């Protein structure tokens, strides 16, 4: 199909035609417009939609006789606008729709294009909706039958992408993967680079077995720790939750995270600690015990949340230097 004919098809949908496009870009534009008008490409044995969006009942035309026994039919040029059983609908540049039967004897070939197909012989499965085609036909009692179907490999590749939604799905997936990777790296960086901080102090608050509720004593100690940390220039808080060894790993992980979360909420909401001055909290389950988990006292010491006051090594000591300089 030459460019002038493709342009004619583009003018069949004037509301979206763009006169500034030229060459191959026109062909791609026309193919996209055609696909928007056409029904989704599906297998030959399924129900399919016509150009007007109505579902067409699956109908198979009778098998025609050999081509040699049939009279030469007209050449049809346009884009595939619908599939119905073993028949295709081709819409030409004027908007006229022609129904053509495709058989096992129909020669279907692509030429050139990005696929590097040359003149490879293809199957009827390649006849996607929206694909610009040139069809040589034969006439018979059942209508027209396709003897040869030709199209470009470039148009086929574009039609395949449109039919399967490859571009959209891959773009969405890649975006989601990229966003997840960024978020993961941020979380990993904020806790993984702990060696870039100096620990100035640590306050531990304790919990009853299986509980994440803050005691009155814990509430007081948390606000005292926040007030003290606020006196330290450039201080950040890192909150880490722990459990004893009782219970499953899954339950303890969830419990340690809940304990850490409750502490963070209390520090921000009741103690006035700014969220931007807090590193990402984490739950460490029963890891890093500070006491023996075989005793009741040891377990009580391990059911804790540690509130660590950190200062970046890159700025730690700057305030002290400034004070010494000021005194001089």
């Amino acid at each position: 199909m030459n460019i002038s004919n493709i342009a004619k098809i583009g003018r069949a949908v004037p509301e979206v035609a763009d006169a500034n496009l030229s060459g191959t870009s026109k062909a791609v534009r026309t193919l996209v417009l055609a696909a928007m008008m056409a029904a989704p490409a599906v297998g030959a044995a399924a129900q399919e939609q016509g150009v007007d969006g109505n579902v067409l009942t699956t109908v198979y035309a009778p098998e025609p006789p050999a081509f040699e026994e049939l009279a030469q039919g007209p050449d049809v040029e346009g884009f595939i606008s619908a599939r119905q059983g073993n028949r295709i609908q081709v819409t030409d540049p004027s908007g006229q729709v022609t129904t053509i039967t495709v058989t096992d004897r129909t020669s279907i070939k692509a030429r050139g294009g990005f696929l590097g197909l040359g003149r490879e012989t293809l199957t009827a499965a390649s006849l996607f909706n929206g694909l610009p085609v040139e069809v040589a036909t034969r006439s018979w009692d059942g209508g027209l039958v396709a003897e040869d179907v030709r199209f470009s490999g470039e148009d086929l590749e574009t039609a395949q992408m449109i039919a399967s939604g490859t571009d959209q799905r891959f773009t969405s997936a890649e975006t989601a993967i990229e966003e997840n990777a960024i978020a993961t790296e941020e979380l990993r960086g904020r806790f993984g680079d702990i060696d870039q901080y100096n620990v100035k102090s640590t306050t531990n608050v304790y919990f009853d077995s299986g509980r994440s509720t803050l005691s009155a004593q814990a509430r007081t100690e948390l606000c005292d720790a926040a007030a003290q940390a606020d006196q330290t220039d450039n201080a950040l808080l890192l909150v880490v939750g722990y459990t004893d060894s009782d219970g499953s790993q899954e339950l303890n992980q969830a419990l340690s995270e809940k304990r850490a979360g409750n502490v963070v909420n209390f520090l921000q909401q009741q103690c006035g600690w700014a969220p931007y001055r807090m590193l990402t909290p984490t739950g460490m389950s029963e890891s890093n015990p500070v006491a023996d988990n075989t005793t009741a006292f040891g377990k009580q010491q391990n059911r804790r949340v540690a509130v660590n006051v950190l200062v970046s090594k890159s700025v730690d000591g700057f305030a002290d230097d400034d004070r010494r300089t000021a005194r001089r």
Side-chain angles (χ1 to χ4, degrees):
M1 180 180 296
N2 58 42
I3 294 300
S4 63
N5 287 333
I6 291 175
K8 290 179 183 178
I9 300 176
R11 288 194 291 273
V13 268
E15 67 276 15
V16 286
D18 185 351
N20 293 323
L21 296 178
S22 62
T24 303
S25 62
K26 273 189 178 179
V28 174
R29 180 207 64 190
T30 301
L31 188 56
V32 172
L33 297 178
M36 291 171 61
M37 295 173 58
V42 295
Q47 285 189 333
E48 303 167 43
Q49 294 180 344
V51 181
D52 59 1
N54 294 324
V55 175
L56 300 175
T57 302
T58 301
V59 176
Y60 288 89
E63 189 69 18
F67 293 139
E68 297 77 18
E69 302 176 20
L70 300 176
Q72 197 78 36
D75 291 338
V76 180
E77 190 171 341
F79 65 87
I80 298 174
S81 52
R83 292 279 304 275
Q84 183 182 16
N86 61 342
R87 299 185 296 177
I88 61 173
Q89 291 181 354
V90 178
T91 301
D92 69 15
S94 69
Q96 180 178 346
V97 176
T98 303
T99 300
I100 305 171
T101 299
V102 178
T103 74
D104 292 339
R105 296 191 298 273
T106 300
S107 173
I108 303 173
K109 292 185 177 180
R111 53 184 181 276
F114 296 130
L115 298 176
L117 295 173
R119 290 187 175 272
E120 296 279 342
T121 299
L122 304 171
T123 67
S126 302
L127 301 179
F128 293 97
N129 288 335
L131 179 65
V133 293
E134 301 170 1
V135 186
T137 69
R138 295 274 182 161
S139 297
W140 64 302
D141 293 341
L144 297 178
V145 58
E147 183 176 10
D148 295 289
V149 181
R150 299 289 182 267
F151 44 84
S152 77
E154 179 181 349
D155 287 345
L156 174 59
E157 183 177 53
T158 307
Q160 287 173 323
M161 294 193 318
I162 293 171
S164 63
T166 301
D167 283 344
Q168 180 179 353
R169 286 205 306 271
F170 272 50
T171 299
S172 299
E174 288 170 357
T175 300
I177 290 170
E178 182 178 358
E179 290 175 351
N180 288 338
I182 292 173
T184 300
E185 287 304 314
E186 287 178 350
L187 293 176
R188 182 180 299 151
R190 294 174 73 180
F191 187 67
D193 293 338
I194 192 67
D195 60 339
Q196 301 302 314
Y197 296 90
N198 289 327
V199 180
K200 309 302 285 187
S201 65
T202 298
T203 298
N204 290 313
V205 293
Y206 302 95
F207 296 82
D208 292 336
S209 179
R211 301 297 183 88
S212 60
T213 305
L214 291 169
S215 66
Q217 180 180 351
R219 291 167 181 264
T220 299
E221 291 176 352
L222 286 174
C223 283
D224 288 345
Q228 183 178 355
D230 197 41
Q231 302 303 311
T232 303
D233 292 322
N234 305 307
L236 301 173
L237 295 186
L238 173 64
V239 177
V240 185
Y242 299 92
T243 68
D244 59 28
S245 59
D246 291 344
S248 67
Q249 171 65 29
E250 293 78 10
L251 289 176
N252 284 338
Q253 179 61 41
L255 181 58
S256 65
E257 292 174 358
K258 189 172 183 179
R259 286 172 175 171
N262 286 348
V263 168
V264 168
N265 290 339
F266 186 81
L267 286 168
Q268 294 177 356
Q269 297 168 9
Q270 303 299 323
C271 304
W273 190 262
Y276 66 85
R277 297 182 64 190
M278 185 168 289
L279 298 179
T280 304
T282 188
M284 296 296 289
S285 186
E286 59 195 67
S287 62
N288 301 330
V290 295
D292 189 352
N293 269 311
T294 62
T295 67
F297 177 78
K299 290 180 179 180
Q300 183 183 33
Q301 297 300 301
N302 292 330
R303 296 192 298 266
R304 72 196 190 282
V305 167
V307 179
N308 302 280
V309 180
L310 309 179
V311 177
S312 172
K313 290 179 179 180
S314 63
V315 299
D316 193 16
F318 282 5
D320 292 339
D321 293 342
D322 291 341
R323 294 191 189 97
R324 284 192 291 270
T325 301
R327 284 197 296 269
R328 293 175 187 163

